[in-house]
Amino acid sequence: MVSLQLTPPKPFLPKTLNHSKHDNKPSTTVRSSLQWNRKPQLSGDTPRVVVITSGKGGVGKTTTTANVGLSLARLGFSVVAVDADVGLRNLDLLLGLENRVNYTAVEVLNGDCRLDQALVRDKRWPHLELLCISKPRSKLPLGFGAKALTWLVDALKSRSDGRPPPDFVIIDCPAGIDAGFVTAIAPANEAVLVTTPDITSLRDADRVTGLLECDGIRDIKMVVNRVRTDMIKGEDMMSVLDVQEMLGLALLGVIPEDAEVIRSTNRGYPLVLNKPPTLAGLAFEQAAWRLVENDSMKAVAVEEMEPKRWGWFSFFGG
């Protein structure tokens, strides 16, 4: 790992890293352990089937799926992102592919099309493909469930179009722990649990962790989303250390609160493609890097960051 120093131009520094207008000190030097000088080493047997879940809705599962999936594709790994949210399909919107979804998994199961016809390839990043389970406001056949999704994932492992199997199959899990959750986790052998540092989200995350372990998924990592250091300092929000102690999971990434997430979602342009990069975008890229190498990071207390004034980047290289 090579430690680099990044000094972004002053107009592009987020407010959390700038000095106040009355401070005449030079702009803060942002330090981060970036690893762009090499390609990450893929750990484990491929394809790796990862379900991104949380239990609670609105914590950022689909945003995490879109940005981590695209980051993996940019690193050169082949990725199939599966939108398993049957009733409220949104992953195609975040990837900007909503107008290209002509066939879904339901047509594949009914024999109306081939699997390769239902896979939507991103023209910008051909390593990324999208598979939607159904179209919005359409009814699924009663027979669709865990066995059907497992069959689809197995079909991706041995594709009939002559292409090699993907390196990653990332499943965007619907909210809740009902039949949709059971269906989404069935083919997975590892999970990424997305949570926010609030008590309701943590209670649901703890419940989902137990269900995943009961289903045989032991490789569970955690992404803490929408973290604000100002609220942590004021003791109005739990720290990442508190979250990790409560859930007892390996930490894959810490995503800071960023208004650019909403803008990128409305544009159908994933956050990791922004130039200049945002803090949240860099955090998603680092989380994807750790996912490839089956690595984790170490959270640090806010008090430890104060003397060095490292800002959010101190979270990235742990």
Side-chain angles (χ1 to χ4, degrees), residues 52-57 59 61 173-175 192-195 201 204-205 208:
I52 297 183
T53 182
S54 70
K56 189 176 186 298
V59 298
K61 292 185 300 295
C173 182
V192 173
L193 188 67
V194 182
T195 184
S201 180
D204 293 348
V208 167

Side-chain angles (χ1 to χ4, degrees), residues 95-158:
L95 293 172
L97 301 174
E98 67 275 9
N99 295 326
R100 300 188 57 202
V101 180
N102 297 318
Y103 298 105
T104 64
V106 172
E107 280 86 7
V108 176
L109 295 172
N110 291 338
D112 298 329
C113 71
R114 301 186 308 272
L115 178 59
D116 61 288
Q117 291 178 305
L119 291 170
V120 181
R121 187 180 301 179
D122 194 323
K123 291 182 178 180
R124 299 163 295 184
W125 305 100
H127 290 296
L128 177 66
E129 294 176 300
L130 171 67
L131 176 64
C132 296
I133 298 297
S134 68
K135 296 179 180 178
R137 296 181 296 277
S138 65
K139 294 182 179 180
L140 279 180
L142 296 178
F144 187 88
K147 290 184 178 180
L149 184 58
T150 302
W151 179 87
L152 287 170
V153 173
D154 289 339
L156 290 171
K157 297 178 182 178
S158 56

